[in-house]
Amino acid sequence: MKYAEVQNYLGDAFVSPKRPLLDVYNPSSGDIISRVPLSGAAEVDAAVQIAKVALVPWSATPIKERVQVFYRYKTLLEQHIDELTALITEENGKIASEARAEVLKSAELTEFACSLPQIAAGEILEVSRGVECRVERYPVGVVAAITPFNFPNMVPNWSIPNALALGNTMILKPSEMVPLSARRIAELLKEAGLPPGVLQIVNGGQEAVEALCDHPDIAAISFVGSTKVAQIVYRRATQSLKRCLALGGAKNHLIVMPDANTEMTSSNVVASMSGCAGQRCMAASVMVGVGNTDHIIKRMVEHAKAMVPGTDIGPVISAAARERITRYIDEAEKAGAKVLVDGRNMKVPGKEGGYYLGPTIIDRVTPDMKIAQEEVFGPVIVIVRAKDVDEALRIENASPYGNAASVFTESGGVARYVMEHASAGMVGVNVGVPVPREPFSFGGWNDSKFGVGDITGRGSIEFWTQAKKMTTKWNSEAGTNWMS
Ligand code: NAD
């Protein structure tokens, strides 16, 4: 194995729990590169006990001092970008430019956390003569973050810098498919001066997640993953009276109008559906072509055919994922759809063991087909036709998901109409991947998110803190108003 067995991070020590181990694969080669322990309730409880002790001094440290750790951490992310990029590529498979962009995004997330002293400052107002109301924000306590396989570095950094800068202590449960980046995050935070016990890592799968949901001393959980598991985690965490923000899966629709700029639209749509091998919760999954968009589709086909698997597009995460995605394409074809670009049975010379699929474009799909409704999570886009923008919006809004939606058009009126009427938490105009950048928040609607607030940016402040409302009177007058 290229990497030593993955360990949990407790206090300031990496430890090997006596638990069953799961193989970790390199999706580009199919090689086993490490093994990860599947922790249970005992490992979770050990971390919680340490986090409770660490919470006392950390939460009492002024926020301006806490964020100094994150200034240093951001510099370390930048200094170690080549190494972190290589590690992401190794465990997740995405190509180097995508992995590098992920680390840069982690640095941007950290930059936002550094600005929290300014953004999260309290409020104060004289509400009656001599009577002041003020609001101060306090951490919620020991919290947990549960993350998916598709962004091993960035998604943990959606939660870690903000939650910790706001004074919480955290237990991270990374995806058991990509546990290696998490260790480096912890090591760099330690080097940046984060005190022991403020961030800990418990590795594992379902059993560890259930123990985090059930633990009475964990106050809040952020979850990112599939809708099925987001619902399980949201129900279970709130059942034990925690606050929970659970981001789920997606089925993102791009509405393409006939007046859209052909070159920009075709390249953006293909980049959105194929980037990170389609394994982004913001990836384009359905293109709704309004009226005649054949000229744009023709150019999309050319862009997709020019992509070289192994160079321009990485593998999907596992052999099982490749089989699942292939099955969706097979079934759509059987149901009458037309495969314009076929990424099935793709072999990359020298990487025959890798889980590769080429970009796949499927035309003549109808909204009732399974491939138009379910999350495929691979480099596949289906094209559904609509006669006008209202029909396109009806198709988009019929999806139970609501992560992202975009419209491609040169008309400001049409763009505004879609922005208002699309049932999605993140909407783009002429943007294939409408990820809001800091200080704006990331979070979907409908079955793409359960809970209140967003996971990044300003929206996360409410989730990671509790507001204390204080009323004081320092003047000597009595009975001057109803509060006296
Ligand atoms: P997943 O739901 O399988 O796993 C996510 C986490 O849940 C992992 O840490 C895993 O160990 C744990 N888990 C898995 N099964 C569980 C169970 N039965 N009970 C308790 N915990 C369980 O997701 P994934 O395959 O790692 O990631 C891909 C999914 O994540 C896609 O659906 C994608 O859309 C979604 N995603 C969403 C966002 C977003 O912002 N909405 C961002 C990234 C990924």
Side-chain angles (χ1 to χ4, degrees), residues 323 325-339 342 344 362-366 368-371 382:
E323 272 165 38
I325 298 161
T326 303
R327 224 171 18 248
Y328 272 111
I329 304 169
D330 293 346
E331 285 177 20
E333 199 173 32
K334 269 201 205 102
K338 194 171 166 209
V339 181
D342 193 346
R344 289 171 290 188
I362 311 178
D363 199 0
R364 303 291 161 196
V365 170
T366 52
D368 57 322
M369 290 183 191
K370 205 164 128 185
I371 199 164
V382 301

Side-chain angles (χ1 to χ4, degrees), residues 23 146 158 186 228 259 287 312 365 386 429 481:
D23 293 336
I146 300 161
W158 276 358
K228 182 177 144 239
D259 70 340
M287 166 182 155
D312 302 319
V365 170
V429 175
N481 64 61

Side-chain angles (χ1 to χ4, degrees), residues 405-484:
S406 263
V407 60
F408 286 82
T409 182
E410 293 296 292
S411 157
V414 169
R416 180 68 211 171
Y417 189 71
V418 172
M419 284 165 79
E420 271 184 36
H421 292 94
S423 183
M426 292 169 281
V427 184
V429 175
N430 296 323
V431 176
V433 185
V435 173
R437 292 185 61 172
E438 282 54 42
F440 300 99
S441 303
F442 187 103
W445 281 11
N446 309 330
D447 285 359
S448 294
K449 192 190 77 181
F450 305 94
V452 176
D454 284 321
I455 200 155
T456 65
R458 286 204 180 93
S460 71
I461 297 172
E462 194 72 35
F463 185 72
W464 293 124
T465 59
Q466 44 195 343
K468 189 173 280 186
K469 286 72 62 179
M470 303 167 178
T471 305
T472 59
K473 186 176 69 174
W474 289 107
N475 66 343
S476 51
E477 300 162 38
T480 54
N481 64 61
W482 58 268
M483 293 186 80
S484 300

